[in-house]
Amino acid sequence: MANFGFSRLILSDPATYAFRGAERLAVKGEAVLERMAVAKDLPEALKDCVYAVGTTSRTQLKGRAALTPEQAVRRLAEESARGRVGLVLGGEQRGLSDEELAVCTDVLVIPTSEVQPSMNLAQAAAVLLYLCSREGAQQAVPAAPEPGARMGTLNALGGRMQQVLLSAQFLNPQAPEHVLHELERTLLRAQLTQREAELWLTAFKHLERAVKQGASTP
Amino acid sequence: MANFGFSRLILSDPATYAFRGAERLAVKGEAVLERMAVAKDLPEALKDCVYAVGTTSRTQLKGRAALTPEQAVRRLAEESARGRVGLVLGGEQRGLSDEELAVCTDVLVIPTSEVQPSMNLAQAAAVLLYLCSREGAQQAVPAAPEPGARMGTLNALGGRMQQVLLSAQFLNPQAPEHVLHELERTLLRAQLTQREAELWLTAFKHLERAVKQGASTP
C-alpha cells in the first residue's frame, strides 16, 4: 500500500488483534498502520463505500461474472467519482467467503495458472494496487455532481426491504435471499446517489409501518 | 512464478545454497524449484538470453532511460521472438548492482510512491510476472526467421573487443569501459542474430591475432 500511495486499510474481523511488531515488518508503512481501522465484519468495513470489488479464485465464482483486474481497476476509478471505493481481499487460507463476496458490488479474478491458481495475499494486493496506481496516474475521473449511495445505507435498505417484503408475504421465508438480491441488484445497477438511497430507505420505513398497521387491523 | 506459468528460475550468485525447505514454502511451486539453476554471476545466468531487462529503483538510474513495466513487458514479448529473454530482479536488500544493471539490455522501474519507493522482491516479481502473463495471453509474437544473438556470445564478443582494442591502443587502459560500452550498445541496437554475433566474434579473433603479430614485428 505504501509503495503505491494507498493509505486506508480496514481489517474486517481480523484473526488477531496483536498488532505490535507490525511497525517493524511494515517498513515505511507507518502512515498506513496509523490510519488502519478494524471492523467487526465486511458490511461494517465497507459502510462508507459506494462501490466495492472483491477478489476471488475461479472456483468460488458460482456463475457470477468476474471482472478482469484491468476491468475492475477501471470500474474502481469510475466509481471513485461518486465516493469512496473498496478493494476487498480475503484471508490467506480461504479467501473471501460466499457471504462476503455477496456484499461486494463486483468480483474480480486474477488470471493464474491452473498449476498454482492460489496467490499469496500480499502479492495479489501488490498486483492490484500497482494497476490502481497506474490507472489513477493515467486519467483523473471528474467528480460526479452528487455523492453516490454508501454501502452502509444500501445494506440498511436491503435489511429493511427484507423485513417489509417478508411481512408483506412477498418473499419466501424459507429462502428470501434469492429474490431479494435480484431487487437489490437492480438498485446497485442504478448507481443511486446517497440522497436517492435515503429516499428508498425512508420509503420502506413508511411501508413497514403501513404493513404492520394493516396486519394489526385484519 | 507458478501462479503465472513461468518455470525457468536462475539464481545468480545466491546468498545461500541451503535450498532444503524451499519446497515447503513454495506451495505447488515444485516444478519451478526442480528446474531451478544456479549461476556464478549474472552474465553466466543470462548467457542463453537474447535480451534481458533489469529491475531497479529510480535512484539507481544514473541517466539511463528506464522503461515502464508495460514497455518492458512489451519488449520482452517482442524479443522473445528472437530467443530466450530474461527478467532480472535484484536482492531484497540492495537490488541489482551497477555492474549487474550494465549487463542488462534495458532497465525498468516500477513507479512507486516517494514515501516507500522500495518494493518487496516477491511483490515486484508478482507485479511483473502478472503483466508478462497478460501480455503473453493478449498477443503471440511470431517467431523471427533467425535466432537472436545470445548474451553469452555478446559478452564474449565484448571481452574480445576490449582486449583487441586495448592492444591496438584505441581504448584508454585507465578507463576502457566507457567507449567500449558505446560500441557494444550499437551492436545491441542492431539486434544481431546469433550467426552475425559469431561472425563479429570470429572477426575480432582474427584481429587479435593480427594485432599481436603486428606488435611482435615492430
Side-chain angles (χ1 to χ4, degrees):
Chain A
M1 288 181 65
N3 281 145
F4 299 118
F6 295 92
S7 60
R8 198 156 183 267
L9 173 64
I10 305 182
L11 304 183
S12 167
D13 188 20
T16 178
Y17 283 78
F19 300 131
R20 271 161 166 271
E23 294 83 3
R24 262 177 302 129
L25 289 171
V27 181
K28 293 187 193 164
E30 298 88 356
V32 176
L33 289 176
E34 274 163 24
R35 291 193 59 187
M36 184 179 81
V38 174
K40 73 175 200 311
D41 56 21
L42 194 54
E44 165 76 19
L46 294 175
K47 68 179 196 298
D48 290 338
C49 291
V50 301
Y51 175 83
V53 57
T55 307
T56 184
S57 64
R58 262 172 301 203
T59 51
Q60 265 200 299
L61 273 183
K62 300 188 178 164
R64 200 166 169 190
L67 304 179
T68 65
E70 288 77 9
Q71 289 169 331
V73 161
R74 187 86 275 268
R75 280 230 57 193
L76 283 166
E78 286 164 4
E79 298 282 348
S80 71
R82 302 170 57 236
R84 213 182 271 290
V85 295
L87 174 63
V88 186
L89 289 136
E92 192 86 61
Q93 296 298 322
R94 261 175 273 183
L96 294 170
S97 69
D98 291 348
E99 208 178 30
E100 287 167 328
L101 285 173
V103 172
C104 300
T105 328
D106 279 320
V107 294
L108 79 87
V109 171
I110 301 180
T112 47
S113 156
E114 277 168 32
V115 176
Q116 170 49 306
S118 170
M119 278 189 80
N120 167 282
L121 172 59
Q123 291 173 22
V127 166
L128 295 171
L129 294 179
Y130 168 74
L131 294 177
C132 285
S133 78
R134 296 297 275 170
E135 183 77 32
Q138 267 166 36
Q139 49 200 115
V141 176
E146 263 200 89
R150 294 187 290 274
M151 292 179 88
T153 309
L154 291 175
N155 277 333
L157 173 58
R160 188 72 64 157
M161 280 169 68
Q162 175 161 359
Q163 272 189 311
V164 178
L165 295 174
L166 277 171
S167 303
Q169 299 182 348
F170 171 72
L171 294 175
N172 176 353
Q174 259 68 54
E177 287 83 11
H178 183 72
V179 172
L180 181 69
H181 284 169
E182 263 195 76
L183 295 179
E184 287 183 307
R185 219 154 286 169
T186 61
L187 292 178
L188 278 180
R189 210 162 56 224
Q191 300 195 323
L192 300 182
T193 64
Q194 177 63 17
R195 206 186 56 79
E196 290 165 343
E198 285 169 7
L199 216 59
W200 272 105
L201 187 58
T202 313
F204 269 94
K205 280 180 186 166
H206 281 78
L207 286 169
E208 189 170 31
R209 215 174 303 146
V211 168
K212 265 191 195 144
Q213 280 171 355
S216 62
T217 56
Chain B
M1 288 181 65
N3 280 143
F4 299 118
F6 295 92
S7 60
R8 197 156 185 268
L9 173 64
I10 305 181
L11 304 183
S12 166
D13 189 19
T16 178
Y17 284 78
F19 300 131
R20 273 159 165 270
E23 294 83 4
R24 264 180 299 129
L25 289 172
V27 182
K28 294 187 191 165
E30 298 88 357
V32 176
L33 289 176
E34 272 162 26
R35 292 193 59 187
M36 184 178 82
V38 174
K40 72 175 202 307
D41 56 20
L42 194 55
E44 166 75 18
L46 294 176
K47 69 180 194 298
D48 291 338
C49 291
V50 300
Y51 176 82
V53 57
T55 307
T56 184
S57 64
R58 261 173 302 205
T59 51
Q60 264 200 300
L61 273 182
K62 298 185 178 166
R64 201 166 168 191
L67 304 180
T68 65
E70 288 77 10
Q71 289 170 330
V73 161
R74 186 86 276 269
R75 280 231 57 192
L76 282 166
E78 286 164 1
E79 298 282 348
S80 71
R82 302 171 57 234
R84 213 182 273 289
V85 295
L87 174 63
V88 186
L89 288 135
E92 192 86 62
Q93 296 297 323
R94 260 174 275 183
L96 294 169
S97 68
D98 291 348
E99 209 177 31
E100 287 167 328
L101 285 172
V103 172
C104 300
T105 329
D106 279 319
V107 294
L108 80 86
V109 171
I110 301 180
T112 47
S113 155
E114 276 168 33
V115 176
Q116 170 50 303
S118 170
M119 279 189 80
N120 167 282
L121 172 58
Q123 291 173 21
V127 166
L128 296 171
L129 294 179
Y130 168 75
L131 293 177
C132 286
S133 79
R134 298 296 275 170
E135 184 77 31
Q138 268 166 34
Q139 48 200 117
V141 176
E146 264 200 90
R150 294 188 290 274
M151 292 178 89
T153 310
L154 291 175
N155 277 333
L157 172 59
R160 187 73 62 158
M161 280 169 67
Q162 175 162 1
Q163 271 189 311
V164 179
L165 295 175
L166 277 170
S167 303
Q169 299 182 351
F170 169 73
L171 294 174
N172 176 354
Q174 259 68 55
E177 287 83 10
H178 184 73
V179 171
L180 181 67
H181 285 170
E182 263 195 77
L183 294 180
E184 286 181 308
R185 218 154 286 168
T186 62
L187 292 178
L188 277 180
R189 210 162 54 223
Q191 298 195 322
L192 300 182
T193 64
Q194 177 62 17
R195 206 187 55 79
E196 290 165 344
E198 285 168 7
L199 215 60
W200 271 105
L201 186 56
T202 313
F204 270 93
K205 280 180 187 167
H206 281 77
L207 285 170
E208 188 169 30
R209 213 175 306 145
V211 168
K212 265 190 194 144
Q213 280 172 353
S216 62
T217 57

PDB file of all heavy atoms in Angstrom, chain A residues 151-164:
ATOM      1  N   MET A 151     -22.450   2.059   0.948  1.00  0.00           N
ATOM      2  CA  MET A 151     -22.906   0.673   1.110  1.00  0.00           C
ATOM      3  C   MET A 151     -23.582   0.461   2.456  1.00  0.00           C
ATOM      4  O   MET A 151     -24.442  -0.410   2.584  1.00  0.00           O
ATOM      5  CB  MET A 151     -21.738  -0.276   0.895  1.00  0.00           C
ATOM      6  CG  MET A 151     -21.270  -0.260  -0.565  1.00  0.00           C
ATOM      7  SD  MET A 151     -19.865  -1.340  -0.880  1.00  0.00           S
ATOM      8  CE  MET A 151     -20.711  -2.877  -1.257  1.00  0.00           C
ATOM      9  N   GLY A 152     -23.208   1.241   3.462  1.00  0.00           N
ATOM     10  CA  GLY A 152     -23.885   1.154   4.754  1.00  0.00           C
ATOM     11  C   GLY A 152     -25.371   1.463   4.611  1.00  0.00           C
ATOM     12  O   GLY A 152     -26.227   0.738   5.143  1.00  0.00           O
ATOM     13  N   THR A 153     -25.663   2.522   3.852  1.00  0.00           N
ATOM     14  CA  THR A 153     -27.065   2.890   3.612  1.00  0.00           C
ATOM     15  C   THR A 153     -27.766   1.819   2.781  1.00  0.00           C
ATOM     16  O   THR A 153     -28.905   1.430   3.064  1.00  0.00           O
ATOM     17  CB  THR A 153     -27.126   4.251   2.875  1.00  0.00           C
ATOM     18  OG1 THR A 153     -26.312   5.197   3.580  1.00  0.00           O
ATOM     19  CG2 THR A 153     -28.551   4.760   2.794  1.00  0.00           C
ATOM     20  N   LEU A 154     -27.066   1.309   1.765  1.00  0.00           N
ATOM     21  CA  LEU A 154     -27.658   0.276   0.912  1.00  0.00           C
ATOM     22  C   LEU A 154     -27.916  -1.005   1.697  1.00  0.00           C
ATOM     23  O   LEU A 154     -28.932  -1.676   1.482  1.00  0.00           O
ATOM     24  CB  LEU A 154     -26.734   0.000  -0.283  1.00  0.00           C
ATOM     25  CG  LEU A 154     -26.623   1.137  -1.310  1.00  0.00           C
ATOM     26  CD1 LEU A 154     -25.598   0.795  -2.374  1.00  0.00           C
ATOM     27  CD2 LEU A 154     -27.979   1.432  -1.956  1.00  0.00           C
ATOM     28  N   ASN A 155     -27.003  -1.331   2.612  1.00  0.00           N
ATOM     29  CA  ASN A 155     -27.220  -2.520   3.443  1.00  0.00           C
ATOM     30  C   ASN A 155     -28.423  -2.348   4.350  1.00  0.00           C
ATOM     31  O   ASN A 155     -29.219  -3.272   4.526  1.00  0.00           O
ATOM     32  CB  ASN A 155     -25.989  -2.813   4.307  1.00  0.00           C
ATOM     33  CG  ASN A 155     -24.951  -3.583   3.545  1.00  0.00           C
ATOM     34  OD1 ASN A 155     -25.287  -4.318   2.612  1.00  0.00           O
ATOM     35  ND2 ASN A 155     -23.690  -3.409   3.914  1.00  0.00           N
ATOM     36  N   ALA A 156     -28.522  -1.150   4.923  1.00  0.00           N
ATOM     37  CA  ALA A 156     -29.679  -0.870   5.783  1.00  0.00           C
ATOM     38  C   ALA A 156     -30.953  -0.983   4.960  1.00  0.00           C
ATOM     39  O   ALA A 156     -31.955  -1.558   5.408  1.00  0.00           O
ATOM     40  CB  ALA A 156     -29.541   0.529   6.387  1.00  0.00           C
ATOM     41  N   LEU A 157     -30.898  -0.476   3.734  1.00  0.00           N
ATOM     42  CA  LEU A 157     -32.053  -0.565   2.835  1.00  0.00           C
ATOM     43  C   LEU A 157     -32.404  -2.021   2.550  1.00  0.00           C
ATOM     44  O   LEU A 157     -33.571  -2.419   2.631  1.00  0.00           O
ATOM     45  CB  LEU A 157     -31.756   0.195   1.541  1.00  0.00           C
ATOM     46  CG  LEU A 157     -32.770   0.073   0.407  1.00  0.00           C
ATOM     47  CD1 LEU A 157     -34.152   0.549   0.861  1.00  0.00           C
ATOM     48  CD2 LEU A 157     -32.313   0.869  -0.819  1.00  0.00           C
ATOM     49  N   GLY A 158     -31.362  -2.821   2.244  1.00  0.00           N
ATOM     50  CA  GLY A 158     -31.589  -4.237   1.969  1.00  0.00           C
ATOM     51  C   GLY A 158     -32.244  -4.941   3.147  1.00  0.00           C
ATOM     52  O   GLY A 158     -33.183  -5.725   2.984  1.00  0.00           O
ATOM     53  N   GLY A 159     -31.740  -4.661   4.346  1.00  0.00           N
ATOM     54  CA  GLY A 159     -32.309  -5.274   5.552  1.00  0.00           C
ATOM     55  C   GLY A 159     -33.769  -4.877   5.747  1.00  0.00           C
ATOM     56  O   GLY A 159     -34.625  -5.724   6.030  1.00  0.00           O
ATOM     57  N   ARG A 160     -34.025  -3.595   5.542  1.00  0.00           N
ATOM     58  CA  ARG A 160     -35.387  -3.084   5.702  1.00  0.00           C
ATOM     59  C   ARG A 160     -36.321  -3.691   4.654  1.00  0.00           C
ATOM     60  O   ARG A 160     -37.439  -4.110   4.952  1.00  0.00           O
ATOM     61  CB  ARG A 160     -35.350  -1.555   5.555  1.00  0.00           C
ATOM     62  CG  ARG A 160     -36.641  -0.850   5.876  1.00  0.00           C
ATOM     63  CD  ARG A 160     -36.949  -0.853   7.363  1.00  0.00           C
ATOM     64  NE  ARG A 160     -35.950  -0.101   8.115  1.00  0.00           N
ATOM     65  CZ  ARG A 160     -36.160   0.440   9.319  1.00  0.00           C
ATOM     66  NH1 ARG A 160     -37.331   0.302   9.931  1.00  0.00           N
ATOM     67  NH2 ARG A 160     -35.197   1.087   9.938  1.00  0.00           N
ATOM     68  N   MET A 161     -35.817  -3.776   3.424  1.00  0.00           N
ATOM     69  CA  MET A 161     -36.624  -4.384   2.346  1.00  0.00           C
ATOM     70  C   MET A 161     -36.983  -5.825   2.691  1.00  0.00           C
ATOM     71  O   MET A 161     -38.127  -6.250   2.519  1.00  0.00           O
ATOM     72  CB  MET A 161     -35.835  -4.350   1.028  1.00  0.00           C
ATOM     73  CG  MET A 161     -35.853  -3.016   0.315  1.00  0.00           C
ATOM     74  SD  MET A 161     -34.650  -2.944  -1.055  1.00  0.00           S
ATOM     75  CE  MET A 161     -35.354  -4.117  -2.218  1.00  0.00           C
ATOM     76  N   GLN A 162     -35.985  -6.555   3.188  1.00  0.00           N
ATOM     77  CA  GLN A 162     -36.230  -7.964   3.514  1.00  0.00           C
ATOM     78  C   GLN A 162     -37.356  -8.094   4.537  1.00  0.00           C
ATOM     79  O   GLN A 162     -38.301  -8.867   4.353  1.00  0.00           O
ATOM     80  CB  GLN A 162     -34.948  -8.613   4.049  1.00  0.00           C
ATOM     81  CG  GLN A 162     -35.157 -10.055   4.531  1.00  0.00           C
ATOM     82  CD  GLN A 162     -33.855 -10.835   4.626  1.00  0.00           C
ATOM     83  OE1 GLN A 162     -32.779 -10.321   4.326  1.00  0.00           O
ATOM     84  NE2 GLN A 162     -33.958 -12.088   5.024  1.00  0.00           N
ATOM     85  N   GLN A 163     -37.246  -7.302   5.621  1.00  0.00           N
ATOM     86  CA  GLN A 163     -38.269  -7.349   6.667  1.00  0.00           C
ATOM     87  C   GLN A 163     -39.657  -7.047   6.121  1.00  0.00           C
ATOM     88  O   GLN A 163     -40.614  -7.779   6.352  1.00  0.00           O
ATOM     89  CB  GLN A 163     -37.935  -6.308   7.744  1.00  0.00           C
ATOM     90  CG  GLN A 163     -37.029  -6.817   8.843  1.00  0.00           C
ATOM     91  CD  GLN A 163     -36.943  -5.794   9.967  1.00  0.00           C
ATOM     92  OE1 GLN A 163     -36.705  -4.609   9.702  1.00  0.00           O
ATOM     93  NE2 GLN A 163     -37.162  -6.244  11.193  1.00  0.00           N
ATOM     94  N   VAL A 164     -39.744  -5.945   5.394  1.00  0.00           N
ATOM     95  CA  VAL A 164     -41.051  -5.487   4.902  1.00  0.00           C
ATOM     96  C   VAL A 164     -41.630  -6.479   3.910  1.00  0.00           C
ATOM     97  O   VAL A 164     -42.814  -6.826   3.975  1.00  0.00           O
ATOM     98  CB  VAL A 164     -40.916  -4.090   4.254  1.00  0.00           C
ATOM     99  CG1 VAL A 164     -42.261  -3.632   3.711  1.00  0.00           C
ATOM    100  CG2 VAL A 164     -40.383  -3.087   5.257  1.00  0.00           C
TER     101      VAL A 164
END
